[in-house]
Amino acid sequence: MAPPRASAPAATPPPAALDGPDSALRAAQAEPLHPPLSGRQKTLGILGAAALVAYPFVFNTPFPQHVMIMIFLYGMMAQSWNIMAGYCGQISLGHAMFFGIGAYSSAFLFVTYQISPWLGMLVGIVIAMAAAAVIGLPTFRLRGHYFAIATLVIGEIVQIVVQRWEFIGAATGIWLPIIRENQLVNFQFNDSKIPYYFIALGFLIVACLAVRHMERSRLGFYFRAIREEPEAARSLGVNITLYKSLAFMLSAAFMAMAGTFYAQYVLVVDPEVVFPLTLSILVLLMAVMGGVGTLWGPLIGAAVLIPLSETTRILLGGTGGAVDLIIYGALIVVICLFKPEGLIGLVRQWLPAPPAEREADHGDS
Amino acid sequence: MLKVSDLEVSYGDFQVIWGVSLEVRPGEVVSLMGPNGCGKSTIFNTISGLLKPKAGTIELDGRRIDRLPSHEIVRLGLAHVLERRRVFPYLSVRQNLWLGGYNPQARVHREETLEQVFGQFPRLRERQDQLAHSLSGGEQQMLALGRGLMSRPRLLMIDEPFLGLAPAVAKEMMGVIAGINAAGVSVLFIEQNVQVALSMSNRGYILESGRLVLTGEPDELLNSSEVKRIFLGG
C-alpha cells in the first residue's frame, strides 16, 4: 500500500517557509512519526551492516553460520507475526500453517514440475495470502482469545490434513533431490552455508523494510487504531475487516517466504517439521520477548532465543530438547515481571535516543 | 438531514428499540435524553452503522444508510463520537486526530481541518505530541470531538459529551459544541441531565425503555409533567 500522499499541492509545505511555529508544525505533520536518523544511529547502522557482512567469513565453520541463519529466519517469522499481532492486535496461534504452505508449495512444484523454488516461493506467497484472506473472513468476527483459539484450531486442522494427503506425500512429506549445478536457480547450495546466510539476511531485511514502511504509512495507523480501539476505529470510518485481512495477508506472505527458505535449506519438508504448533508458539515468544509492536523487538527476541535453543540442543543433546523451552518459560516470566514491554525496553535504556527523538518516538510504544 | 423512521433494534432475540423515529434538520442541535439503559447509545450505534437495525429506515439527506457499513457512512458526512471517548491511548494526540481524517473525502483537506480543530481546541495543539492516555478526561473528550471533526462531518453525533467531566469543564464543552454548531455542523447528542441538555438544544427527544415518549422544544419539555415522572419517578 502506498504511503499517504499530500493530496493537494497546497498541502505540501514550501521548503523556504520553514520558520515560524506554523510551518514547523506543518513540517512535523509531513513526517509525523520518525525524524531523520541521527549521526550516532547512522554510525551504529554502518558498523552493524559491516559486522553482518563480515560474520560468515570470520566465523567460517558451519555452526556459527547456522545459528545466524536461524536467527535471520526466525527473526523474519517473528517480524511477520508482529505485523499481525503487534501492530494490528490480532493474536494468531496458527502462523506455522503459512510457513508450511510456503515450504510445501515450492518443494512440490520443484519435485513435480522442476519449477525453480524462487518461482515456487512466489506461488507459495500467493497461496498463503489467499489462505489468510479466506481464514480471516469468518474468524475476524471473533475477538481476542476467540480469534486466537480459532487460528490455533485451523493450524492443527491444516497439519492433520497434510499428514493424510497422499498427493503431497502425506506423513512422509517431500524430499528434495540434491542437485549440484545451477545452484542459484535451484536455490540449493551444497558447498557452503554462505549463500544461505546472505539470502536469509536479504529476506529478513525485506521483511523489516516492509514493516518500517508500514509503520509510517496510513496502513500502520489503521493497524494500531484497530489494535487499540476497534469500535472507535470503525466509527471513524476504518473498514476494520479489510485492514485486519491486509495485516493477516502481509504476515502470511512473509511466513511463506520463510517456509520456502527453510525447505531449500534442509531439503526435506514434512508435516511434523513445517506445520507444528510449537513453531507458531516459538515465533510468538520471540516477538513477545523482544517487544511486540516495535520494529526491532522481534529481531532482538530471535537473537536471544535462537542461540539459546541451538546451544542447549548441542550441550544437552537433541532429545533433551525441552530444556530450551524451560529456559524460555523462565525468561518469559522474568520479562513479564520486570520489562513487560519486552527486551527492547532494556535496549532503549542502554541506547537512549536524544530527547527530540524520544519525543517523536511515542507511536512505537 | 437525518431522518430515522420506525427504528427497531435487537441484540439477538432481545429487542431494545421499539419504533423510534427522530429527525435532525440542518443547523440544529438536538438532544436525545433518557435514563440509563433505555437505548440511547444503541440508537446512535445503529445510526452510525456499528449495529444493524432489525426494521425501520435511516436516511441521511434522503439517502438510505441503514444497510451501509460504518466506514461508508462516515464518508457521507456523519461522525460519531463514542461514549467514554475511546481515544487511541498509545497514539499521540496528533496521530489520533489524523486517524479521524483518513476517509478519502476528508484526507484532501486534512491539513486545513487540523488547523481548524487546533483553532477550536488550543489545548490539543499544545499537547499534540503527548500520548492520548496521558490527557485529562476533559482533554480526552476534546480529542474525541476533534477526531470526529477531522472527518469534516455535516452531522456530528456525540454520545454523552459531559460524562465524567467536572462542572467547569462541562461548561467549557458546552461552549465548544455551540461553536461547532455555529460553524455549520448539525449536532445530535446524548445527555442524561435534562436541564443541561435542553439549555443547549433546539429540540429534544426523550426515550424510555426503548420507546420515544416525548419530543419538543426545550420550554415544552421542561414544563412537562411527564418528564418529571420519567426522571424523578413522580
Side-chain angles (χ1 to χ4, degrees), chain A residues 12-34:
Chain A
T12 332
L18 285 178
D19 46 326
D22 273 2
S23 48
L25 172 70
R26 238 173 293 142
Q29 284 155 5
E31 184 60 82
L33 255 177
H34 297 264

Side-chain angles (χ1 to χ4, degrees), chain B residues 28-233:
Chain B
E28 270 190 326
V29 178
V30 176
S31 48
L32 180 59
M33 297 158 283
N36 273 341
C38 69
K40 306 183 294 287
S41 295
T42 301
I43 292 177
F44 266 39
N45 290 340
T46 313
I47 294 174
S48 67
L50 297 175
L51 295 174
K52 294 291 161 227
K54 185 179 156 203
T57 60
I58 304 168
E59 288 170 40
L60 188 65
D61 297 318
R63 184 177 165 182
R64 283 280 293 269
I65 60 169
D66 45 89
R67 298 286 158 200
L68 293 182
S70 47
H71 59 271
E72 285 178 27
I73 296 176
V74 175
R75 280 184 217 167
L76 297 175
L78 186 151
H80 179 191
V81 177
L82 295 170
E83 192 178 3
R84 286 187 298 278
R85 332 190 224 285
R86 309 282 196 99
V87 296
F88 303 113
Y90 293 102
L91 294 181
S92 72
V93 167
R94 192 170 55 218
Q95 289 165 351
N96 264 276
L97 291 171
W98 268 55
L99 271 164
Y102 265 136
N103 78 72
Q105 279 88 336
R107 215 180 298 152
V108 186
H109 305 283
R110 196 166 48 197
E111 312 280 333
E112 189 191 330
T113 323
L114 190 66
E115 269 311 298
Q116 288 168 5
V117 169
F118 279 151
Q120 240 149 359
F121 304 99
R123 217 145 354 137
L124 295 185
R125 190 200 293 276
E126 288 164 27
R127 311 206 160 200
Q128 54 180 305
D129 292 320
Q130 249 173 269
L131 292 190
H133 76 84
S134 68
L135 299 180
S136 74
E139 287 163 349
Q140 287 191 20
Q141 185 67 57
M142 288 179 191
L143 179 56
L145 276 183
R147 191 177 62 182
L149 290 173
M150 285 299 290
S151 69
R152 300 174 75 87
R154 287 169 299 123
L155 172 62
L156 181 66
M157 304 200 309
I158 320 168
D159 196 338
E160 301 237 21
F162 311 120
L163 189 75
L165 299 187
V169 184
K171 200 153 199 171
E172 196 182 334
M173 192 61 65
M174 288 170 78
V176 165
I177 293 172
I180 292 170
N181 180 243
V185 180
S186 311
V187 176
L188 174 64
F189 72 102
I190 290 177
E191 173 55 38
Q192 300 211 24
N193 183 328
V194 179
Q195 299 268 357
V196 169
L198 290 175
S199 71
M200 50 186 289
S201 318
N202 301 104
R203 285 182 308 112
Y205 290 93
I206 293 178
L207 201 64
E208 189 187 21
S209 310
R211 292 182 169 83
L212 275 185
V213 287
L214 274 177
T215 170
E217 301 196 354
D219 294 345
E220 307 167 39
L221 291 179
L222 280 175
N223 297 325
S224 144
S225 57
E226 186 74 359
V227 171
K228 293 196 182 88
R229 181 192 64 78
I230 293 167
F231 287 95
L232 301 175

Side-chain angles (χ1 to χ4, degrees), chain A residues 28-356:
Chain A
Q29 284 155 5
E31 184 60 82
L33 255 177
H34 297 264
L37 294 176
S38 69
R40 190 169 154 210
Q41 282 171 316
K42 271 189 192 140
T43 318
L44 269 176
I46 291 168
L47 284 179
L52 284 177
V53 172
Y55 181 91
F57 302 104
V58 176
F59 298 95
N60 54 5
T61 50
F63 179 68
Q65 293 176 354
H66 170 75
V67 171
M68 277 306 257
I69 292 170
M70 286 297 114
I71 290 178
F72 296 153
L73 184 70
Y74 277 88
M76 177 184 185
M77 289 195 272
Q79 192 66 280
S80 141
W81 189 83
N82 188 34
I83 296 173
M84 171 85 174
Y87 287 96
C88 201
Q90 310 303 308
I91 309 282
S92 156
L93 296 178
H95 253 49
M97 69 181 130
F98 304 117
F99 180 81
I101 287 173
Y104 263 90
S105 299
S106 61
F108 179 79
L109 289 175
F110 184 71
V111 169
T112 319
Y113 302 106
Q114 289 77 51
I115 292 172
S116 162
W118 293 99
L119 290 176
M121 178 171 83
L122 294 181
V123 173
I125 289 173
V126 170
I127 298 175
M129 290 174 85
V134 170
I135 293 167
L137 225 51
T139 49
F140 280 140
R141 299 161 60 97
L142 305 169
R143 287 180 192 203
H145 301 97
Y146 298 100
F147 177 77
I149 292 168
T151 54
L152 180 127
V153 171
I154 293 170
E156 292 299 286
I157 292 172
V158 170
Q159 187 185 36
I160 293 168
V161 168
V162 174
Q163 276 168 352
R164 282 154 184 74
W165 192 355
E166 293 291 344
F167 184 60
I168 54 171
T172 326
I174 300 173
W175 295 65
L176 286 117
I178 293 171
I179 295 168
R180 300 213 170 264
E181 59 272 9
N182 277 332
Q183 298 197 343
L184 195 58
V185 175
N186 290 325
F187 203 150
Q188 278 195 27
F189 309 94
N190 311 305
D191 327 314
S192 155
K193 287 189 191 291
I194 291 181
Y196 284 119
Y197 177 93
F198 284 105
I199 291 172
L201 179 59
F203 280 12
L204 176 68
I205 290 172
V206 169
C208 292
L209 286 178
V211 168
R212 203 172 107 109
H213 185 72
M214 176 276 286
E215 199 177 48
R216 298 164 182 211
S217 70
R218 185 151 60 96
L219 202 59
F221 279 98
Y222 279 154
F223 288 174
R224 278 171 279 184
I226 291 170
R227 173 188 73 195
E228 291 182 12
E229 279 289 353
E231 287 286 279
R234 273 181 78 192
S235 81
L236 295 176
V238 177
N239 182 345
I240 64 172
T241 314
L242 173 70
Y243 284 95
K244 283 181 189 173
S245 298
L246 286 176
F248 205 14
M249 288 164 73
L250 192 61
S251 184
F254 287 115
M255 283 304 282
M257 256 172 100
T260 296
F261 178 89
Y262 185 79
Q264 295 307 121
Y265 186 61
V266 301
L267 298 177
V268 181
V269 296
D270 73 57
E272 303 301 326
V273 173
V274 299
F275 284 106
L277 175 62
T278 46
L279 177 66
S280 304
I281 305 287
L282 201 58
V283 163
L284 171 157
L285 281 183
M286 285 175 191
V288 169
M289 177 166 262
V292 285
T294 64
L295 176 60
W296 294 101
L299 307 189
I300 297 170
V304 170
L305 290 188
I306 289 294
L308 192 72
S309 114
E310 295 290 331
T311 322
T312 51
R313 196 163 56 86
I314 300 273
L315 292 180
L316 302 160
T319 46
V323 173
D324 53 346
L325 292 177
I326 294 173
I327 301 176
Y328 285 6
L331 274 176
I332 289 283
V333 171
V334 171
I335 294 279
C336 289
L337 281 176
F338 298 106
K339 273 276 163 242
E341 73 270 35
L343 288 173
I344 197 156
L346 281 181
V347 174
R348 282 186 179 151
Q349 273 173 357
W350 291 330
L351 285 175

